[in-house]
C-alpha cells in the first residue's frame, strides 16, 4: 500500500533517487533542500508502506516574482516510479500540492512545464488536473526539446471569520 505525506528533509535523498530513475532532468541536492527550506508545506512524497521506499514525489514552490494579486505556485518536478504509475498517485500528490499552495500561500494559480512529447503527462495535466496550455517554450529542456507552459487556476480557500466572544454580563460583573 502507498501513502502520501508531506516531504521532509530526510526524504530528499530518496526524492533525488526517484528523480534519477524516472526523469531526464536531474537536480543537485541543494535544489531539493532549497525547496524544502523555502516552501516546506507544498512538496509531497508517495511512500510504499511495506518498506518505506519513496515511489513518487512532487517538488513545488511559490514563484518569487509574483505579487499577492497573482500569487502563483509552480510544480518543479513530478515523478512516480514506473511500477506505481496509473494508480492515481501523481494526481493525488498534484492536488495536495495545489490545494496547499492556495491554503498556505494564497496562490491563485499553479504553473508547470512539460515536454511536448510527454503525452501521458500532458493527458494527466489537461484532462485530470485542469491545466491549460498557455505557451510553448522553445528548446526549454537541456536536450533541446520544447516545453508546454501550462497553468491552472486554483480554488480560493474560504477562511472562516473568527470573532472575539463578548464577555458575558455575569463574567463582567465579577
Amino acid at each position: 500500500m502507498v501513502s502520501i505525506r508531506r516531504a521532509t528533509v530526510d526524504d530528499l535523498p530518496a526524492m533525488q533517487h526517484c528523480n534519477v530513475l524516472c526523469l531526464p532532468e536531474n537536480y543537485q541536492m541543494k535544489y531539493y533542500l532549497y525547496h524544502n527550506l523555502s516552501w516546506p508545506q507544498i512538496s509531497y512524497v508517495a511512500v510504499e508502506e511495506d518498506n518505506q521506499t519513496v515511489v513518487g514525489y512532487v517538488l513545488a514552490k511559490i514563484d518569487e516574482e509574483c505579487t499577492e494579486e497573482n500569487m502563483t505556485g509552480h510544480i518543479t518536478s513530478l515523478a512516480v516510479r514506473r511500477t506505481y504509475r496509473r494508480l492515481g498517485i501523481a494526481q493525488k500528490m498534484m492536488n495536495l500540492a495545489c490545494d496547499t499552495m492556495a491554503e498556505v500561500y494564497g496562490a491563485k494559480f499553479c504553473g508547470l512545464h512539460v515536454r511536448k512529447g510527454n503525452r501521458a503527462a500532458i493527458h494527466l495535466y489537461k484532462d485530470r488536473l485542469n491545466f491549460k496550455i498557455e505557451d510553448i517554450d522553445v528548446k526549454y529542456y537541456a536536450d533541446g526539446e520544447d516545453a508546454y507552459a501550462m497553468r491552472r487556476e486554483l480554488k480560493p480557500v474560504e477562511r472562516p471569520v473568527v470573532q472575539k466572544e463578548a464577555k458575558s454580563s455575569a463574567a463582567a460583573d465579577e
Side-chain angles (χ1 to χ4, degrees):
M1 178 171 222
V2 175
S3 63
I4 298 172
R5 62 172 170 74
R6 246 185 212 126
T8 67
V9 170
D10 293 334
D11 295 315
L12 300 182
M15 290 169 67
Q16 185 182 41
H17 180 69
C18 186
N19 172 267
V20 168
L21 292 175
C22 298
L23 298 172
E25 303 77 43
N26 305 129
Y27 306 105
Q28 293 182 359
M29 182 53 66
K30 66 182 179 181
Y31 198 56
Y32 292 91
L33 188 58
Y34 169 66
H35 278 69
N36 188 263
L37 292 174
S38 300
W39 308 281
Q41 303 93 335
I42 56 177
S43 292
Y44 289 85
V45 290
V47 178
E48 175 59 62
E49 290 182 359
D50 291 341
N51 57 17
Q52 295 302 299
T53 301
V54 171
V55 298
Y57 72 90
V58 59
L59 185 67
K61 66 179 188 168
I62 298 296
D63 286 342
E64 296 170 320
E65 297 177 9
C66 55
T67 63
E68 194 171 316
E69 293 81 40
N70 72 342
M71 185 68 64
T72 302
H74 185 80
I75 302 300
T76 301
S77 183
L78 172 69
V80 176
R81 287 188 179 194
R82 187 168 302 283
T83 54
Y84 291 87
R85 292 180 187 167
R86 303 189 60 76
L87 299 174
I89 295 169
Q91 184 174 348
K92 287 176 187 163
M93 288 190 299
M94 286 288 292
N95 280 326
L96 281 168
C98 288
D99 291 348
T100 307
M101 286 174 190
E103 183 179 333
V104 174
Y105 295 99
K108 294 172 177 55
F109 304 97
C110 178
L112 58 82
H113 287 89
V114 62
R115 289 176 173 271
K116 280 182 69 175
N118 191 341
R119 292 188 323 217
I122 293 165
H123 169 73
L124 171 70
Y125 299 140
K126 281 178 66 175
D127 300 334
R128 305 246 183 229
L129 294 167
N130 300 314
F131 279 81
K132 297 187 179 4
I133 295 172
E134 299 258 307
D135 201 359
I136 297 173
D137 288 341
V138 178
K139 296 185 180 182
Y140 179 82
Y141 292 100
D143 63 3
E145 185 172 354
D146 297 346
Y148 287 125
M150 301 183 80
R151 187 163 135 146
R152 166 183 166 181
E153 191 170 341
L154 301 179
K155 296 178 216 158
V157 176
E158 297 293 325
R159 289 189 166 75
V161 176
V162 179
Q163 296 179 353
K164 292 183 180 180
E165 290 184 32
K167 291 184 181 178
S168 68
S169 58
D173 292 338
E174 293 177 5

